Amino acid sequence: MAINSVISGFNTMGHPLGAEMVHLKDVGKTFGRGKKRVEALRGINLTIREGEFVALLGASGCGKSTLLRIIAGLTDVTDGKMTYRGKPLSGVNPHTTIVFQSFALYPWLTVQENVEAALQPLGVPEPERADRSVRLLDRVGLHGFEAAYPRELSGGMRQKVGFARAMAVEPELLCLDEPFSALDVLSAESLRGELMELWQSGAIPTKAILMVSHNIEEAVSMADRLVVMDKGPGHIVQQIPVNLPHPRIKKDRAVLNLVDQVYAIITGKTQDEKTELGSAPGVQPGSMRGLPHVPINQIFGLVEQVANEPSGRVDVYQLARDVGLPTDEFLPIVEAVELLAFARLDSGDLTLTRLGKEFAEADIQRRKDIFAEQIKRIPVINWMEQMLTSAKNQRVDRDVFTTALNLDFNPIETHDQLDTAINWGRYAELFSFDDDTDQVFFGTDFEDDPEKSDPELHSID
């Protein structure tokens, strides 16, 4: 999918964008060497200007947080070039600060002392540290809590301390790494509103905000521009200006339409790759698509959820809200039901296929049969069956599969791919796993125990 190169010259407050702050050209990032080499990012081109609130979106593992850390100077680039205000960056970026999803406060320090702790390494005199900390705590609504300890505060209040501490160093660029994800729904909503008030009123010296989020609705409600990423390795697939005025009402049609559009972009890649189900025969390691790491019961649950709709069709964004799962956890389930041809995704709506309807209505054994037929056509599982067929005693050491799959995936992903493939294969009674010998073998290990046919009992972790 092509990157949208036309970015608005104004933010959503109607103010013209200022000077270029961050510029990344063909940036890549690789961790480790040899067999442990993991390519996290490739070909990243991104610019952030004064006056912008930019949100990074994408499935788990697409490199959002890695990109944020590169911009903050906490991680060096492997390829390409990054500049800040036109100059190459070396080491920590002194003009940025990060608010993480964990509160990361010093429990032995008071609220005020936690904020002052950010100023002490900068050599700010003690009276000025105290004065600035008190003013910032008042600005985020914590006046009267200066002498309290973190244990006395709610999660939302502790994160406010985190924001105050980040703003104490008066960063030009405020980086947010899923800052609301550890909070309950109401606290997160309140803190989002307060941050937007500070940002839009100019009450903080920050000139731009860059936020990593797994919550599409959150990003649409706050940002001026959405940068949508995909993995394998991490790259930008599209940039979307959010040309909607603040405040944004979640139920407004324009907001809902944009949320649907982003969901469609993030999940649309499975549509392009669906034909790979039919390409399994003769597949070789080195060109295999990864399985989504999804428990079987979640696949079944999603199919049943859609089947309960009279039309057999449901809005993906609304469904994610209904089941209460964050985007990072929900989208792999959508990818799995598409991969198995139980449903198709079109313009943000998920519709059951004829096979999906049959699966939803089937009894336990028929579901097994359908599931088995579908996963036999998935390249990695088909390849595992081929290996078992040609092996002595139809048993293969897990290490053999690991070595071969390392041609396609990094070691961590290889481990996860094998876990998922074996769990799916065990449920379908295609093959099983002997934990004592660490071998995959044909047949089942639960023929005499019907209770083990429950897909939730097939974990090998």
Side-chain angles (χ1 to χ4, degrees):
M1 190 174 294
I3 296 175
N4 183 352
S5 60
V6 180
I7 304 299
S8 173
F10 295 84
N11 63 20
T12 50
M13 294 179 284
H15 301 152
L17 299 181
E20 178 181 288
M21 297 174 65
V22 175
H23 182 70
L24 291 85
K25 182 172 178 57
D26 298 327
V27 163
K29 178 63 184 179
T30 300
F31 294 98
R33 294 180 180 179
K35 291 184 178 181
K36 295 184 178 181
R37 183 177 182 273
V38 178
E39 189 177 14
L41 297 172
R42 180 192 294 172
I44 299 294
N45 292 286
L46 179 67
T47 298
I48 300 174
R49 307 180 73 88
E50 290 182 0
E52 277 196 294
F53 190 133
V54 178
L56 299 177
L57 290 167
S60 179
C62 70
K64 303 185 298 291
S65 293
T66 299
L67 180 54
L68 188 83
R69 283 162 171 74
I70 286 174
I71 292 172
L74 300 180
T75 299
D76 295 330
V77 302
T78 307
D79 302 298
K81 180 181 179 182
M82 175 191 157
T83 59
Y84 189 87
R85 294 201 179 276
K87 298 180 180 179
L89 182 68
S90 178
V92 175
N93 189 336
H95 306 290
T96 68
T97 191
I98 298 182
V99 176
F100 297 98
Q101 56 182 296
S102 59
F103 309 125
L105 302 180
Y106 299 116
W108 59 88
L109 298 182
T110 66
V111 166
Q112 181 175 332
E113 288 168 342
N114 264 282
V115 178
E116 288 187 29
L119 297 171
Q120 190 169 356
L122 302 179
V124 178
E126 185 175 352
E128 185 179 343
R129 291 203 306 265
D131 180 64
R132 193 185 299 185
S133 298
V134 169
R135 283 190 286 107
L136 282 168
L137 289 169
D138 179 52
R139 196 171 294 170
V140 299
L142 288 179
H143 178 63
F145 290 89
E146 294 87 352
Y149 287 90
R151 64 177 179 272
E152 301 174 56
L153 307 180
S154 66
M157 294 173 77
R158 289 198 293 271
Q159 193 62 309
K160 285 184 179 181
V161 179
F163 275 104
R165 184 174 59 186
M167 292 185 293
V169 298
E170 299 184 343
E172 285 193 330
L173 176 63
L174 178 61
C175 296
L176 310 176
D177 193 358
E178 299 190 19
F180 311 106
S181 61
L183 304 177
D184 63 85
V185 174
L186 295 179
S187 296
E189 188 64 21
S190 174
L191 191 51
R192 288 187 200 103
E194 291 174 0
L195 173 61
M196 291 305 294
E197 181 180 342
L198 292 171
W199 165 243
Q200 293 173 341
S201 67
I204 54 178
T206 298
K207 298 185 183 302
I209 297 178
L210 177 64
M211 179 177 73
V212 166
S213 179
H214 65 262
N215 186 326
I216 295 174
E217 184 181 46
E218 170 183 276
V220 169
S221 70
M222 300 178 74
D224 301 311
R225 176 159 47 110
L226 310 176
V227 178
V228 183
M229 299 182 65
D230 192 11
K231 56 186 176 181
H235 60 282
I236 296 173
V237 293
Q238 193 161 354
Q239 299 189 46
I240 307 172
V242 185
N243 298 314
L244 300 173
H246 288 287
R248 295 170 186 162
I249 309 302
K250 292 181 179 179
K251 294 185 178 181
D252 280 357
R253 176 45 53 190
V255 172
L256 293 174
N257 286 344
L258 186 53
V259 171
D260 277 348
Q261 179 186 346
V262 176
Y263 263 107
I265 292 169
I266 292 177
T267 59
K269 58 186 171 62
T270 59
Q271 287 288 324
D272 298 332
E273 298 172 350
K274 229 172 18 177
T275 55
E276 194 169 341
L277 258 178
S279 65
V283 70
Q284 297 294 326
S287 60
M288 280 189 278
R289 171 192 173 188
L291 293 173
H293 306 307
V294 178
I296 295 167
N297 62 301
Q298 290 188 340
I299 296 173
F300 294 1
L302 181 58
V303 172
E304 291 168 357
Q305 191 87 6
V306 181
N308 288 333
E309 296 292 324
S311 64
R313 183 183 182 95
V314 66
D315 180 278
V316 172
Y317 156 62
Q318 187 59 49
L319 183 58
R321 295 190 66 187
D322 291 344
V323 300
L325 287 175
T327 306
D328 285 19
E329 296 178 26
F330 183 71
L331 292 183
I333 310 173
V334 174
E335 183 179 356
V337 298
E338 276 208 296
L339 179 65
L340 295 165
F342 292 158
R344 63 179 180 272
L345 189 67
D346 182 31
S347 300
D349 288 341
L350 193 66
T351 305
L352 286 188
T353 61
R354 184 183 303 173
L355 183 64
K357 292 176 183 177
E358 180 183 351
F359 184 83
E361 297 168 359
D363 60 23
I364 293 175
Q365 187 55 51
R366 178 58 182 149
R367 282 192 174 187
K368 274 180 175 285
D369 294 341
I370 294 173
F371 190 82
E373 286 303 312
Q374 293 306 101
I375 69 170
K376 283 180 181 179
R377 301 166 60 201
I378 295 175
V380 65
I381 292 178
N382 177 271
W383 166 73
M384 290 176 70
E385 281 197 297
Q386 293 176 31
M387 293 279 284
L388 288 168
T389 299
S390 60
K392 183 179 179 180
N393 299 326
Q394 297 187 327
R395 282 179 170 260
V396 176
D397 290 344
R398 180 180 175 124
D399 286 346
V400 173
F401 288 123
T402 297
T403 300
L405 288 177
N406 278 336
L407 297 173
D408 291 85
F409 311 105
N410 66 63
I412 295 175
E413 183 64 17
T414 289
H415 176 275
D416 292 342
Q417 286 295 315
L418 272 179
D419 276 3
T420 301
I422 293 172
N423 286 334
W424 286 17
R426 293 174 84 176
Y427 170 74
E429 302 183 26
L430 298 181
F431 46 74
S432 196
F433 182 76
D434 187 333
D435 190 60
D436 292 330
T437 62
D438 211 26
Q439 290 180 323
V440 181
F441 61 94
F442 264 142
T444 69
D445 58 357
F446 49 82
E447 291 173 350
D448 299 325
D449 189 352
E451 291 185 3
K452 289 186 179 180
S453 63
D454 188 322
E456 292 192 34
L457 299 180
H458 293 169
S459 174
I460 61 172
D461 293 331

